[in-house]
Amino acid sequence: MTTEPIAVLAGGVGAARYLRGAARALPPEHITAVVNTGDDWRVHGLAVSPDLDTITYTLAEAIDPERGWGLVDETWHALASLGRYAAVRPPGSTAATEWFGLGDRDLATHMYRTARLEEGADLTTVTDEIRRAWDIATHIVPMSNDPQATIVETSDYGDLAFQEYFVRHRHDIAIEGVRFDGDAELSPRARNVLEDASRIVIAPSNPVVSIGPIRHLPGVDELLTDRRDDVVAVSPIVGGAALKGPADRMLRELGHEPSVEGIARWYAPIAATLVIDTVDADAAPAVERAGMRAVVTESVMSTPDIAQRLAAVTLSK
Ligand code: FO1
C-alpha cells in the first residue's frame, strides 16, 4: 500500500467513517480530507461547519456514535434555554432557532471558529487550529475559504438553505433542484493537495450535496478528469439505497438512478474506479459498461475494522 500523499473528497458521516478507517490503514499524516463546506451556515451569529466538525469529531473519537454528528456525552442546556426567548420572538425573526441542535460542548467549536474568522483568519487556518486542538494527525482542509451555499429548490417551500432542508424538514420533502450560490474558489491548500496526491478518493458521501459542491468549484472537475486514473470513488449507494441520509431520494428526484450503475454514470467522467459493496457484485458488469472499473468489497462501515479494510482496498488497487 502507498505511503504517498492521499486526498479524500469528503462530506459528512460516510466520509468521516471512511477517513477513520484510512487513518488506521496508513500513516494519518499522509491523508488530507478536502471537505465540503456547502452545508456551512450562520446560526445564533455563529459560523457552523457541519461536515468539517463531523470529520474532526469522528477522527478524535469524540463523535456521538448514534447520531453521527455532534459530540458524545453532550448536554443541551443552552438549546433548551432558547425556549424562553422563542416565546417572545417577533414574527419573521430567526433568533432563538431551536430546531438546529447545538450541544453545549459543541458550541465551543463554533464560538472559536467564529471569533477567529472575525479576527481575519481564513477557514483553512482556523480548521487546522481546531484539528490541532483535537490532536488529530489526518489533515483536514475546507474545499474553499469563500462561502458557497448549497440551496435546495422545492416547489412546496421554495428555495431552502441546506440545513433548513436537511434538519428542519428532515430531508423528507420533494426537491426540484440543487444549486450552489457564491463565487467561491478552491482553496490554495486544497488545490495543492489534489495536484500532489498519488491517489484521490471520493468518499462514500452524497454525490449531489456533499461531493457536488466541491466539483462545482472552478477547475475541480477539470483537475479530476486530468487525473482520472488516480481517482477512486466509493459508492454511497448500496443495494439501491443510501446507508444514511437522502442521497437515493435526491438522485431519483433529480432524474438519476439510485444504483451503483447510476453512481458509475455520475462519476465516470472524473474517476476510473468505483468501489461497490458485495451485495451489488452482480452489477459489476453494468458499472464497467458505464465506463468505470468495478472493485467489489465489503463497504458498509459498521465497525472501524471494516472501514480500515475498505480504505486499504481503495488505496491498494
Ligand atoms: N443533523 C440533524 O439531523 N439535526 C441537527 O439538529 C443537527 C445539528 C448539527 C449541529 C452541528 C453539526 O456540526 C451538525 C449538525 N447536524 C445535525 C448534522 C448536519 O446537519 C448534517 O449531517 C450535515 O450537514 C450533512 O452532511
Side-chain angles (χ1 to χ4, degrees):
M1 199 179 314
T2 181
T3 50
E4 305 273 304
I6 299 294
V8 180
L9 301 189
V13 178
R17 291 189 179 147
Y18 174 86
L19 285 160
R20 183 165 55 187
R24 291 165 54 131
L26 77 164
E29 55 277 10
H30 292 276
I31 307 165
T32 304
V34 174
V35 182
N36 169 43
T37 54
D39 303 10
D40 293 15
W41 74 313
R42 287 234 166 207
V43 59
H44 316 302
L46 297 172
V48 180
S49 295
D51 285 357
L52 287 171
D53 292 343
T54 296
I55 287 169
T56 301
Y57 295 161
T58 301
L59 292 174
E61 301 294 349
I63 197 85
D64 182 278
E66 260 80 65
R67 287 194 307 273
W69 55 269
L71 288 163
V72 70
D73 297 331
E74 186 57 283
T75 56
W76 305 91
H77 300 294
L79 191 71
S81 304
L82 289 173
R84 179 186 300 275
Y85 301 105
V88 297
R89 176 178 56 203
S93 168
T94 58
T97 297
E98 293 170 283
W99 52 262
F100 193 70
L102 293 180
D104 298 328
R105 293 170 62 224
D106 185 31
L107 275 170
T109 304
H110 315 306
M111 290 162 72
Y112 182 79
R113 178 184 296 115
T114 308
R116 290 288 292 124
L117 291 173
E118 281 171 9
E119 286 171 0
D122 64 28
L123 187 60
T124 302
T125 303
V126 182
T127 301
D128 198 58
E129 290 166 359
I130 294 171
R131 172 190 74 85
R132 288 194 283 119
W134 285 93
D135 220 3
I136 295 164
T138 302
H139 300 284
I140 304 172
V141 176
M143 66 182 198
S144 180
N145 289 318
D146 317 315
Q148 176 185 276
T150 298
I151 305 294
V152 180
E153 300 165 344
T154 75
S155 57
D156 291 344
Y157 300 92
D159 292 352
L160 295 175
F162 182 77
Q163 297 301 336
E164 296 248 359
Y165 161 75
F166 195 89
V167 176
R168 190 172 198 177
H169 292 282
R170 298 190 174 87
H171 49 75
D172 196 18
I173 52 176
I175 68 164
E176 300 207 308
V178 170
R179 65 168 203 273
F180 308 111
D181 280 0
D183 297 318
E185 303 275 339
L186 185 65
S187 70
R189 179 85 194 284
R191 179 172 295 284
N192 287 343
V193 167
L194 294 180
E195 286 172 352
D196 294 349
S198 66
R199 175 147 314 180
I200 300 170
V201 178
I202 302 177
S205 300
N206 186 316
V208 182
V209 291
S210 295
I211 304 301
I214 307 176
R215 294 183 62 184
H216 181 74
L217 297 169
V220 171
D221 257 19
E222 291 77 358
L223 191 156
L224 296 173
T225 304
D226 286 349
R227 306 214 46 200
R228 186 178 181 278
D229 285 347
D230 301 320
V231 183
V232 180
V234 182
S235 177
I237 298 288
V238 173
L243 291 172
K244 199 171 191 311
D248 45 3
R249 182 173 175 172
M250 288 187 118
L251 284 167
R252 200 176 305 110
E253 288 176 353
L254 295 175
H256 304 274
E257 194 186 301
S259 66
V260 291
E261 192 184 344
I263 296 294
R265 279 197 289 270
W266 186 274
Y267 282 139
I270 56 162
T273 305
L274 184 65
V275 177
I276 62 175
D277 192 77
T278 45
V279 306
D280 291 309
D282 289 353
V287 167
E288 307 242 338
R289 278 196 300 278
M292 295 185 81
R293 191 169 68 98
V295 172
V296 180
T297 193
E298 191 177 9
S299 75
V300 181
M301 295 176 283
S302 47
T303 68
D305 280 349
I306 297 173
Q308 180 177 348
R309 284 200 297 275
L310 172 65
V313 169
T314 57
L315 300 176
S316 64
K317 300 260 176 170

